[in-house]
Amino acid sequence: MRAFGYDLDTLVIAHVLLALVPVVLGLLIALPLGWWAHRSPGARRVLVPLSGALYTVPSLALIVFIPVVLGTPILSPVNVGLTLTIYTVALLVRSVAEALDAVPASVTLAALAVGYRPAGLLLGVQLPLAVPVLTAGLRVASVSSFSLVTVGALVGIDSLGTLMTDGFQQDYTAMVVTGIVGSIVLAFIFDALWLALGRALTPWSRARAGV
């Protein structure tokens, strides 16, 4: 579908890919870091404050700084993807640690008593029980990613943010509103998908609630 001289379908797909891939990559990176923070008080004292500090770095500064470090083209979507991955990791390290903290110690001890090894304990017992808390953190990271991806438009990376920047330059309110509303709608859609996935992975929670 074309509007305002743009292929909106292309912008939506670019927006989703730029926002979603970093969330998935960030989760994969944050899981072992959060597990380490959960297991080691010393690691927690370093990782949690450090991840919080990373999130305070301005996104536009990171997008511009990454090409200087990695040598990627200034207009490469990789710069936005890496920036959003860093932010996702920054948000999820604490969430993963707190999700694992929320698993009852009695359950962990019972699993160890019946012979679970550390990897099996994490994957078979702790992570499934940590899903509700982890899903909450993942939803925050997802909304953040879908919002921040629009910043890439300031350096020429196409997304729905392009409608905002070009709309401001052309004083075209309808274009700006379309970009804003589209970004919000996508954020809400994927927030609902993460929530549905979390519920699907924890059928015992629905049974307990009588759903």
Side-chain angles (χ1 to χ4, degrees), residues 112-201:
L112 290 172
V114 297
Y116 273 90
R117 296 183 180 277
L121 176 66
L122 176 65
L123 298 176
V125 178
Q126 292 176 312
L127 275 182
L129 292 176
V131 164
V133 178
L134 185 56
T135 299
L138 195 57
R139 291 171 65 193
V140 172
S142 177
V143 169
S144 173
S145 187
F146 274 90
S147 301
L148 289 173
V149 77
T150 58
V151 177
L154 295 174
V155 292
I157 308 301
D158 285 341
S159 68
L160 289 176
T162 303
L163 298 178
M164 302 181 203
T165 56
D166 288 3
F168 275 120
Q169 292 172 0
Q170 300 172 31
D171 195 22
Y172 199 164
T173 304
M175 188 188 299
V176 175
V177 171
T178 300
I180 293 172
V181 172
S183 299
I184 292 172
V185 168
L186 286 177
F188 274 116
I189 288 173
F190 279 87
D191 178 67
L193 289 175
W194 290 121
L195 179 60
L197 178 61
R199 288 179 174 175
L201 292 174

